[in-house]
Amino acid sequence: MGSHFLRNVVSGLRGLLACAALSGSAAAHGGHDHGTPPPPQVTTLAPRVEAASADFELVAVLRDGLLTIYLDRFADNAPVEGAAVEVDTPEGSQPAKPDGPGTYVLPAPFAATPGAHDIAFTVTAGDTVDVLAGTLTIGPAAPSSDARPPAPATLALIGGTPSGALAGVAVGLLIGFLAGALVVSRRRAGRLLLLLLGAVGLALAGPRDARADAPKPAPRDMAQRLPDGLVIVPKPTQRILGVRTLVTASGAFAGTVELPGRVVPDANASGLVQSAVGGRLAPPEGGFKPLGTKVAAGEILAYVHPPIGASDLKDLEQQGYELDQQIALVKRRYERLSAIPNAVTRREVEEAEIELNGLKTRRAKLERVQREPEALRTPVAGIIATADAVAGQMADPNTVVFRIVDPARLWVEALGFSPDAGRSGATGRLPNGRTVDLSFLGAGISERAQALPLLFSVASDTGELRPGQFLTVFAEAGAPRIGIAIPRSAVVRGANGQSIVYAHISAERFASLEVKTLPLDASRVLVVAGLSPGQRIVTDGAELIDQIR
């Protein structure tokens, strides 16, 4: 009996393999061919329609029965505010209501029907009127988890579940059980029945139809990078990132050289406050002025009390006594001559008066030498840039106590190798990215660090400039070059160090392009390879798009 049982089990295994092969063949050749899989599609975005013209770019997104329209200018991707949008739908024409800058909404009951819906948008923005058309495609509703396709006839015995190899295993076990049950006892038949029920349960719990597990649109559209390198950035995300674009154009531009530079005060609008003699510093009325205080020309900032030795003091006292004695004698003589005007000449009286006044002046100056300190006054109007004044501090002769600078008048000193660099124009770029316009003043003839000093005046606003700041000077020099000028903010660094710009190829798709750039000025670079005229590139938000993965 045991040998008969083994033979029946072998027969069951043969049936198992046959049914597994049959089920696999039915799954692979059910009316279509499984060749090379197509490129991945974006399946997490809500249904949408895109349209563009020379003036506008429009994206309409359907979500929860509401059509949200995003309207931007085609050239720079800026939202169009205050426009009137008339939408021609399968149910008639109706206006869209504003819902934020460049955003308009419209109920879309027609979108409840699956299929392709042709929509036309009439946009009126100021004096510009344009019509944009597109097709909104609504796919069929996703099947429920209970909906299953018809099963092959071979698998009808197990409920029609197309579960591949697991269904074949269940059928093989069933055949083996029926064959073995004919020759074995009831106890063994019961065990085989339990094993069969477990296998059938696994088969029925196998993979469901792939269409039932198809991804559905997320609650909101997410930016993502596709395997082919394209970046999907939905319009709402573009608004958050502040994405702006520029239509490229080719042209001829003057050659440019980069020079290291430093901000220095204008020699005609700055000055030093120094002590002429050594002495002790003392504050003026109101105290020493702090840094950044505006001062006028001639304003007193400090006093210097020169020190007087004991021997010098005795000499001054001796001179004072002698002057007092001479003043007393001359005064008495002047009074006698004035009392007898008829006995003396007018000349003698005047000489005595002049001599008396001279002696008094000398005595007053001698008093001031002992008591009056030196006043330190500002040579020009401006603000206090540096200060080194402390009450009681001893200052040596020629000590710089204050430095006065006019922040509205500054120069830039650069080092170059040609005295003609920057004569036709120059710009400066600070470390924080701010740019300033520069005007050429002159060039030195003596080398400094094997380079010639070039002097420029700041022609634009000097609000953030400070003396001593370093910056990069872009001076025009050399022959003109042909290329495409783009903002520096449009260029980002790739993982390999290559310069990259992002092209706006459609409303919500961006492609990275490798380019070769040369410096042009403080705010622009010149693209000489990798970019064509007429392309839209991202100027603001390129670094943020580059971070999307």
Side-chain angles (χ1 to χ4, degrees), residues 131-388:
V131 178
L132 301 94
T135 301
L136 178 64
T137 302
I138 308 298
S144 63
S145 58
D146 297 333
R148 303 182 184 276
T154 311
L155 303 179
L157 293 176
I158 59 172
T161 303
S163 303
L166 290 177
V169 171
V171 174
L173 291 175
L174 177 59
I175 295 174
F177 169 75
L178 294 177
L182 297 176
V183 295
V184 300
S185 63
R186 291 185 177 180
R187 179 179 296 180
R188 293 183 178 180
R191 294 177 180 175
L192 289 176
L193 178 60
L194 292 176
L195 178 61
L196 172 64
L197 293 176
V200 172
L202 290 176
L204 294 178
R208 297 181 297 172
D209 184 14
R211 289 180 295 177
D213 293 334
K216 301 178 182 179
R220 65 184 183 92
D221 298 331
M222 303 291 293
Q224 54 190 296
R225 186 180 293 270
L226 301 182
D228 60 358
L230 292 180
V231 182
I232 304 295
V233 185
K235 276 296 180 181
T237 306
Q238 294 183 34
R239 302 281 177 85
I240 295 175
L241 301 182
V243 176
R244 295 293 181 269
T245 59
L246 170 72
V247 179
T248 59
S250 180
F253 302 89
T256 306
V257 293
E258 294 187 23
L259 307 175
R262 183 171 61 94
V263 179
V264 297
D266 186 339
N268 301 313
S270 63
L272 304 177
V273 178
Q274 296 177 281
S275 61
V277 296
R280 192 178 302 277
L281 291 178
E285 183 179 357
F288 293 118
K289 297 185 181 298
L291 294 175
T293 303
K294 291 184 178 181
V295 294
E299 188 173 345
I300 298 176
L301 299 182
Y303 292 103
V304 178
H305 294 271
I308 301 178
S311 58
D312 296 334
L313 185 59
K314 290 183 178 180
D315 293 340
L316 292 175
E317 290 178 354
Q318 183 65 30
Q319 293 178 13
Y321 295 150
E322 292 177 357
L323 289 174
D324 291 340
Q325 183 179 4
Q326 294 178 9
I327 289 174
L329 294 175
V330 174
K331 182 178 181 181
R332 182 172 298 181
R333 180 161 56 90
Y334 171 72
E335 291 175 349
R336 287 198 305 267
L337 295 176
S338 299
I340 50 174
N342 298 327
V344 295
T345 63
R346 181 65 181 170
R347 176 182 176 183
E348 293 178 343
V349 177
E350 291 178 352
E351 289 178 352
E353 183 181 6
I354 292 174
E355 184 178 1
L356 177 61
N357 292 335
L359 291 174
K360 289 181 178 181
T361 301
R362 290 175 58 188
R363 186 68 178 88
K365 289 183 177 181
L366 185 63
E367 289 289 337
R368 288 199 297 269
V369 169
Q370 301 182 33
R371 300 177 182 178
E372 185 176 353
E374 177 191 6
L376 301 183
R377 301 177 181 271
T378 58
V380 294
I383 65 171
I384 300 177
T386 61
D388 186 18

Side-chain angles (χ1 to χ4, degrees), residues 332-487:
R332 182 172 298 181
R333 180 161 56 90
Y334 171 72
E335 291 175 349
R336 287 198 305 267
L337 295 176
S338 299
I340 50 174
N342 298 327
V344 295
T345 63
R346 181 65 181 170
R347 176 182 176 183
E348 293 178 343
V349 177
E350 291 178 352
E351 289 178 352
E353 183 181 6
I354 292 174
E355 184 178 1
L356 177 61
N357 292 335
L359 291 174
K360 289 181 178 181
T361 301
R362 290 175 58 188
R363 186 68 178 88
K365 289 183 177 181
L366 185 63
E367 289 289 337
R368 288 199 297 269
V369 169
Q370 301 182 33
R371 300 177 182 178
E372 185 176 353
E374 177 191 6
L376 301 183
R377 301 177 181 271
T378 58
V380 294
I383 65 171
I384 300 177
T386 61
D388 186 18
V390 179
Q393 174 185 350
M394 293 299 296
D396 296 330
N398 302 324
T399 298
V400 177
V401 184
F402 297 95
R403 183 184 296 271
I404 311 301
V405 174
D406 186 353
R409 299 174 59 181
L410 297 174
W411 289 347
V412 171
E413 185 182 71
L415 296 179
F417 300 98
S418 172
D420 296 327
R423 288 183 180 272
S424 56
T427 55
R429 182 179 177 85
L430 297 171
N432 61 0
R434 188 199 164 196
T435 62
V436 293
D437 297 329
L438 304 178
S439 298
F440 183 82
L441 292 178
I445 59 175
S446 59
E447 291 188 353
R448 184 185 305 171
Q450 299 182 350
L452 297 177
L454 305 175
L455 198 60
F456 302 87
S457 65
V458 179
S460 58
D461 183 21
T462 61
E464 297 182 3
L465 293 180
R466 296 292 182 270
Q469 275 185 316
F470 292 96
L471 73 166
T472 302
V473 176
F474 296 87
E476 295 183 3
R481 297 171 295 182
I482 304 298
I484 298 175
I486 62 174

Side-chain angles (χ1 to χ4, degrees), residues 1-193:
M1 181 178 296
S3 61
H4 288 288
F5 173 72
L6 292 176
R7 285 196 298 270
N8 290 325
V9 171
V10 172
S11 299
L13 291 177
R14 291 176 181 175
L16 182 151
L17 296 176
C19 291
L22 179 61
S23 61
S25 175
H29 300 283
H32 58 279
D33 182 21
H34 289 277
T36 303
Q41 301 295 326
V42 181
T43 58
T44 58
L45 297 180
R48 62 220 307 115
V49 57
E50 298 182 4
S53 66
D55 297 315
F56 303 112
E57 184 175 62
L58 181 146
V59 175
V61 181
L62 177 66
R63 193 180 297 277
D64 299 330
L66 193 66
L67 195 64
T68 303
I69 302 169
Y70 300 95
L71 183 63
D72 297 330
R73 287 198 296 264
F74 181 82
D76 59 4
N77 202 52
V80 179
E81 301 185 37
V85 180
E86 189 79 13
V87 184
D88 188 6
T89 69
E91 296 183 350
S93 179
Q94 49 184 322
K97 298 180 180 180
D99 189 36
T103 306
Y104 307 85
V105 295
L106 175 74
F110 64 89
T113 304
H117 303 280
D118 294 331
I119 305 177
F121 304 88
T122 303
V123 179
T124 304
D127 298 333
T128 304
V129 179
D130 206 344
V131 178
L132 301 94
T135 301
L136 178 64
T137 302
I138 308 298
S144 63
S145 58
D146 297 333
R148 303 182 184 276
T154 311
L155 303 179
L157 293 176
I158 59 172
T161 303
S163 303
L166 290 177
V169 171
V171 174
L173 291 175
L174 177 59
I175 295 174
F177 169 75
L178 294 177
L182 297 176
V183 295
V184 300
S185 63
R186 291 185 177 180
R187 179 179 296 180
R188 293 183 178 180
R191 294 177 180 175
L192 289 176
L193 178 60

